[in-house]
Amino acid sequence: MIKTLKDMESMVEGCLAFAKQEVQEEKSEIINLVETLSNLAGEYPGIAFSTSLGAHKYLCRPVSLRRAIRNVFENAVHYGTGARVTVDSDGHGVSIEIVDEGPGVPDGMLEDIFEPFFRVDEGRNTETGNVGLGLSIARTIVHKHGGTIRAANVPNGLKMRIWLPGQVNSP
C-alpha cells in the first residue's frame, strides 16, 4: 500500500509539474477574453454568463487559461445545480466570478480545496475520474499568470473569484 501511495504522489507531482511547464512554455497571445469566456460558459448547460464589458483584448497564455477556467466550470456544474459567471475589469486587471448553486464548502476547507487530491467528501466516488486535481491545476495556472483564485461560501452556493492582472483593452 505504501508503494501505491508513493506512486500516486509521484504521479501528482508529475501532473502539477506538467501544468507548470505547460504555462511557462506556452507563448502569450492576445485573445478576446469576453468571447473566450462566453464560449467556455456555453459548453456547460446550466452556466449563465454575463458581463458589462464589450469585446476586449487580453494578453495571456490562452490554452492554459482556458484549461484553468474549464476546471472551475466543471466543478461548478458537477457540485452545483447551476452557476452564474460574471466578468468585470477594475482598470488593473480582470475579475471572473463563478457562483454555483450547490452545497458550498465547510469554511475551514476553503483553502484546502486547491490542494492536490483534496476532496471535501472523502467518500466521493473516484471512478468518475475526479481525483482532486482540477482546482490545484487551475490555481497553478492562475498564479503563473500573476493572478489569484479564491473560494468563498455565499448563500446557497460557492463563489470562485479569479483575478488576473493587466489591462483589458477595447479592440
Side-chain angles (χ1 to χ4, degrees):
M1 183 169 12
I2 291 173
K3 170 128 175 60
T4 300
L5 290 173
K6 286 185 187 257
D7 288 346
M8 287 176 60
E9 181 181 13
S10 176
M11 179 186 69
V12 170
E13 288 173 0
C15 288
L16 293 176
F18 176 76
K20 289 177 186 176
Q21 180 180 9
E22 176 183 288
V23 173
Q24 290 171 341
E25 292 180 0
E26 184 184 355
K27 190 174 180 181
S28 292
E29 297 177 23
I30 295 175
I31 64 168
N32 179 334
L33 184 63
V34 171
E35 179 181 49
T36 298
L37 293 171
S38 176
N39 288 343
L40 282 172
E43 293 177 12
Y44 298 91
I47 291 185
F49 178 83
S50 67
T51 184
S52 60
L53 302 176
H56 280 70
K57 295 179 183 178
Y58 188 74
L59 180 65
C60 66
R61 296 172 189 96
V63 173
S64 298
L65 187 59
R66 281 192 296 270
R67 180 178 182 186
I69 301 296
R70 263 195 191 97
N71 288 355
V72 175
F73 284 4
E74 286 173 4
N75 268 23
V77 298
H78 184 77
Y79 297 112
T81 58
R84 295 179 320 279
V85 175
T86 56
V87 182
D88 200 6
S89 175
D90 63 7
H92 302 289
V94 63
S95 172
I96 305 161
E97 288 190 353
I98 303 97
V99 180
D100 72 32
E101 299 165 1
V105 172
D107 288 335
M109 296 180 174
L110 288 169
E111 285 298 315
D112 297 336
I113 63 175
F114 297 104
E115 294 299 321
F117 286 126
F118 182 83
R119 292 178 304 153
V120 173
D121 177 3
E122 292 182 21
R124 286 184 178 156
N125 187 350
T126 58
E127 292 175 13
T128 61
N130 179 7
V131 294
L133 288 176
L135 292 180
S136 180
I137 290 170
R139 179 180 62 181
T140 297
I141 292 168
V142 168
H143 284 178
K144 289 295 180 183
H145 277 85
T148 60
I149 182 169
R150 303 267 188 268
N153 285 307
V154 295
N156 302 312
L158 182 72
K159 174 172 71 172
M160 301 290 285
R161 182 177 185 269
I162 298 171
W163 183 83
L164 297 167
Q167 283 291 87
V168 177
N169 301 310
S170 296

